[in-house]
Structures are given as C-alpha cells and as structure tokens.
Amino acid sequence: EDQVTQSPEALRLQEGESSSLNCSYTVSGLRGLFWYRQDPGKGPEFLFTLYSAGEEKEKERLKATLTKKESFLHITAPKPEDSATYLCAVQSTGANSKLTFGKGITLSVRP
Amino acid sequence: KAGVTQTPRYLIKTRGQQVTLSCSPISGHRSVSWYQQTPGQGLQFLFEYFSETQRNKGNFPGRFSGRQFSNSRSEMNVSTLELGDSALYLCASSLQGPYNEQFFGPGTRLTVL
C-alpha cells in the first residue's frame, strides 16, 4: 500500500527565513509526485508534478525536488502570503492506482 | 474561465439520512474526482469518473456512491449517514485524470449530528 508522510506537521517561519518541507513516500513504483497548496476554506491548488528522481521544478519562491524516497519543497525568503497548508501526494504505477495524499504541513510565516 | 463549483457549500444532516452533493467541473474537463478531507485522515480519494464511467474507487464503504452526467457534471451520494462522515468533501476536475493537474472546488462542508 502506498504511504506518504509529511514533516514537520507545522512550521513557523519569520519572513525571509528560508526552509524546507519534507515528503517521504513508499510506493511500489512511482508514476508521479504532486505538491498542492491549500488555503483555509479553499480547495487545494496545484503547484508541481515530479516524475523521476533528480527532477526539480521552480515557481516563484518555491522549488520542489525529488529523490527515490522523498521530495522536498524548498521555500526561499518566504512572505506572509506563503502561509498555507502544503500537501504532497503520490501515484504509483500499479493498475488502477490512486492518488495517496499526506496529511499536510501547515506553514505560518510571520511578518 | 470559470472554476470548479460545488453545491451546496454547507450541509447539516442527522444520522441515518442521506445526502447528495453536486460538482460542476471546468468546461472541457472530462475527469471528476471526489475526495474526503478530515483533520485525522487528511485527504482521501473516494472515486473518479471519466466520460460518465467510474474509472477508479477508493477504500470507502458502498454507502458512498457517485455518478457523472453527459455534460461532465458529477454528483456524490452518501446514504445512511454516520457521525464519522462529517468532513469536507472536495471535487476536482482535470482534462485526463487525477495524475494530471487537478483543479479543486471549494468543497462542501458536511456536518452529521
């Protein structure tokens, strides 16, 4: 069974203080790893898809990286508007595989 | 272009009742997926419909069912509600399926008393 563990559960940063969010996963074979952002009272918003180890993607202050066992979401010089819950999900290569989400990391950035 | 819409936004039901939730995907999207989100379990996949056919189903009891219409709009039904069904139910649409970029709606907050 696919498993996704995100850590830490919550993270508080000062504005400008860079950090990384971790997503560890266990799958028989990885078809894709996804990062989403969720603001309170809203549905998740797609950020990135990573497909193979070594792949990296960037968007503004966010950079996602992937290894064979985990993914990191690096946040460089965060701003208060980056405060949200960040969700990681994986899909395995098995037939009829489903998206399995982690429980999320709640990021709070103080001005 | 208009995003994914879900109705109603809030629902309060009592145990034993049934409920139907509605989702209108982004125009042109043929895949609609449903998720349950709770503080304890996080976001869990319920099922996915593509062109009116259920393509995939999560590990939920048969009380949870869904369907998709020819215009890609989808409904989800929960029968014989239990207290543990209280959750945020999210609908997501995409062009090909949940392994592509998905666009989520704002969700329906269901409270079972």
Side-chain angles (χ1 to χ4, degrees), chain A residues 25 30 33 50-55 64-68 70-72:
Chain A
Y25 63 90
L30 182 68
L33 184 141
L50 301 168
Y51 296 102
S52 57
E55 189 175 0
T65 61
L66 180 66
T67 72
K68 290 186 177 180
E70 56 191 353
S71 176
F72 291 94

Side-chain angles (χ1 to χ4, degrees), chain A residues 38-52:
Chain A
Q38 186 173 22
D39 293 301
K42 296 187 176 182
E45 176 188 345
F46 174 81
L47 292 174
F48 305 108
T49 307
L50 301 168
Y51 296 102
S52 57

Side-chain angles (χ1 to χ4, degrees), chain B:
Chain B
K1 85 184 160 180
V4 177
T5 58
Q6 292 187 246
T7 56
R9 292 293 312 278
Y10 302 92
L11 266 179
I12 299 176
K13 293 286 187 178
T14 57
R15 281 179 297 175
Q17 288 187 309
Q18 76 162 17
V19 67
T20 299
L21 312 182
S22 180
C23 171
S24 292
I26 291 172
S27 177
H29 285 190
R30 296 162 67 187
S31 171
V32 174
S33 296
W34 287 89
Y35 297 86
Q36 180 194 69
Q37 187 172 36
T38 60
Q41 298 299 318
L43 203 62
Q44 292 184 288
F45 173 77
L46 280 158
F47 29 67
E48 186 227 348
Y49 286 87
F50 185 87
S51 294
E52 303 179 66
T53 300
Q54 187 181 90
R55 284 205 299 197
N56 212 342
K57 189 177 189 304
N59 300 323
F60 280 82
R63 300 186 296 108
F64 292 82
S65 63
R67 58 178 176 169
Q68 187 180 31
F69 302 96
S70 59
N71 62 357
S72 292
R73 190 177 70 84
S74 179
E75 288 182 346
M76 189 191 107
N77 184 275
V78 188
S79 62
T80 319
L81 284 166
E82 300 177 359
L83 295 178
D85 297 333
S86 294
L88 180 67
Y89 289 89
L90 291 159
C91 160
S93 79
S94 63
L95 285 170
Q96 294 294 332
Y99 34 86
N100 299 120
E101 178 179 356
Q102 293 188 93
F103 296 84
F104 281 81
T108 295
R109 173 72 63 184
L110 173 64
T111 301
V112 182
L113 302 176

